[in-house]
Amino acid sequence: MGSSHRQAVILGYDAVCALGTRFPDAWEKALRGDSGIGPLTRFPMDDNFPVRIAGEVESIDDLDYPFLNPRERAKWTSPIFKHAMLTTSRAIERSGIEITPDIAPRTAITYSSALGGLDAALEADRRLVKENRLPKPFTNPNACINMVGGKVSILTGATGPITATISACATGSTSMIIGAMFIEQGLCDVAICGAVDFALVPAIIAGFATMNGTFYPKPGETVPPQAASRPFSRNRRGFVVSEGAGAVILAAREFAQSWGLTYQVAVAGWGMTSDAHHVVAPHLPTVTRCMELSLAHAGIDPQAVSSINAHATSTQVGDKVEYDALCAVFGKNIPPVTANKSMMGHAMGASSVIETIFAVQGMIDGKIPPTINYDPDPDMAFDCVADNARSLDQAYVLKNAFGFGGCNTCIVLEKC
């Protein structure tokens, strides 16, 4: 990014995912190649329900959620609010920022969700249809996607620009890009960015199964849950639905310097494209162009990229298109690639920001977590970091995220 631009640096971040509710623990598990995928327990199901596994966040109701006293927790029943508040508060604490009345007008919120509080809406429908009872008063606020950022704003006091931009599986990346845009354009000095999703409701999981998107065992087949998510593998058979949240605190570089705040990674560039092609299947030309735009905006050549944090959902067509796009951009010199969904599943809109946080931590520590369950596909020859974590100094990392409906985002992270 040129020196004339206001560059966004990353001051703080936090995530909850299937690997753990405390990010340092989740990071250590990722480096070990542990899996957070296990039996689906969020709701009762009969023998005909097609999906039996998921990436669940442990102890979902046992955590001490900052900002939410018992009365508040009774109102905000959807897990998305608990996770959003938890990740935001921890990220702010890590950033060193105190959102004072002076800073609040220059603090933006770009925290969103792909699915929102569907669990609250479905519960209201159940009360109406099966019990002939009206919904609870906070049903609609729990279901509304924009209320996630709204609640973050209320509880932090931030009064700058606010938006909830939904781009399916790329929602978390989009939130970061919009926050970086606000900073670059001088609309704010600080941006609280992130995404959260709780997709573990029967209708959503079953819907993905009928689309042949999510993994489910064939008749008579027994597959350990930990072995189900297989990005880039010859035997990949779809993603594992999971849940989670991630928050990233961005700030203008000069703001961080003037306040004596430390940072080690910056947002160097980004790209966004729409496939205009298919409801689900990604489109190679526009996916490729998205990667190219991100590198151009960062002002770097492809050979400057040290590693790639892939979108890699484990679908046949999705992984192959991403690989073909990497070949188009990097030729025969594709940097090392890792796919975090192999361990934590697909947390919908939250996945891209959670994975960005893993990429940031990897840059700081000089580590790349492995892609587990990797069985090389002969049609995709590249350096997939598998089996064990790899030590590598990473100057630039490319983070890919491609959402349903052709919502493509790529972010280039730069080590400062």
Side-chain angles (χ1 to χ4, degrees), residues 379-393:
D379 292 330
M380 297 188 293
F382 65 108
D383 181 11
C384 181
V385 179
D387 298 325
N388 299 297
R390 183 179 302 180
S391 296
L392 184 68
D393 185 23

Side-chain angles (χ1 to χ4, degrees), residues 60 65 76-84 119 142 196 198 243:
I60 191 171
Y65 289 94
W76 299 99
T77 56
S78 178
I80 65 173
F81 289 92
K82 299 174 184 178
H83 289 169
D119 53 305
N142 271 278
V196 59
F198 178 75
E243 58 182 317

Side-chain angles (χ1 to χ4, degrees), residues 99-108 156-160:
I99 303 178
T100 63
D102 291 336
I103 295 175
R106 298 285 298 170
T107 300
T156 61
T159 59

Side-chain angles (χ1 to χ4, degrees), residues 34 54 64 68 80 93 108 111 113 117 145 165 173 194 208 245 253 257 301 323 353 361-362 369 373 394 400 415:
D34 292 351
D64 180 19
L68 298 180
I80 65 173
E93 182 179 4
Y111 204 120
S113 176
I145 291 176
T165 305
S173 290
F208 281 132
R253 185 187 290 267
Q257 292 173 344
D301 295 324
Y323 166 75
V353 69
Q361 192 65 52
N373 306 321
Q394 302 162 76
N400 293 333
K415 190 173 182 181

Side-chain angles (χ1 to χ4, degrees), residues 307-371:
S307 70
I308 294 165
N309 187 295
H311 180 59
T313 60
S314 299
T315 63
Q316 286 288 333
V317 64
D319 288 7
K320 184 60 165 61
V321 168
E322 184 170 12
Y323 166 75
D324 289 342
L326 290 173
C327 290
V329 174
F330 295 96
K332 296 181 179 180
N333 300 309
I334 299 175
V337 177
T338 190
N340 301 151
K341 290 184 182 71
S342 63
M343 293 178 279
M344 66 181 74
H346 191 355
M348 305 295 109
S351 283
S352 54
V353 69
I354 295 170
E355 292 161 7
T356 299
I357 290 169
F358 274 69
V360 169
Q361 192 65 52
M363 297 178 78
I364 293 172
D365 292 352
K367 300 283 187 180
I368 303 177
T371 302

Side-chain angles (χ1 to χ4, degrees), residues 55-122:
E56 297 185 350
V57 175
E58 296 179 358
S59 307
I60 191 171
D61 292 319
D62 298 334
L63 297 174
D64 180 19
Y65 289 94
F67 303 138
L68 298 180
N69 59 38
R71 184 176 180 182
E72 284 277 278
R73 289 183 64 177
K75 295 177 180 177
W76 299 99
T77 56
S78 178
I80 65 173
F81 289 92
K82 299 174 184 178
H83 289 169
M85 298 310 107
L86 183 65
T87 55
T88 298
S89 63
R90 287 177 175 173
I92 291 173
E93 182 179 4
R94 182 167 185 168
S95 74
I97 288 179
E98 181 183 356
I99 303 178
T100 63
D102 291 336
I103 295 175
R106 298 285 298 170
T107 300
I109 305 288
T110 62
Y111 204 120
S112 191
S113 176
L115 299 171
L118 280 180
D119 53 305
L122 291 171

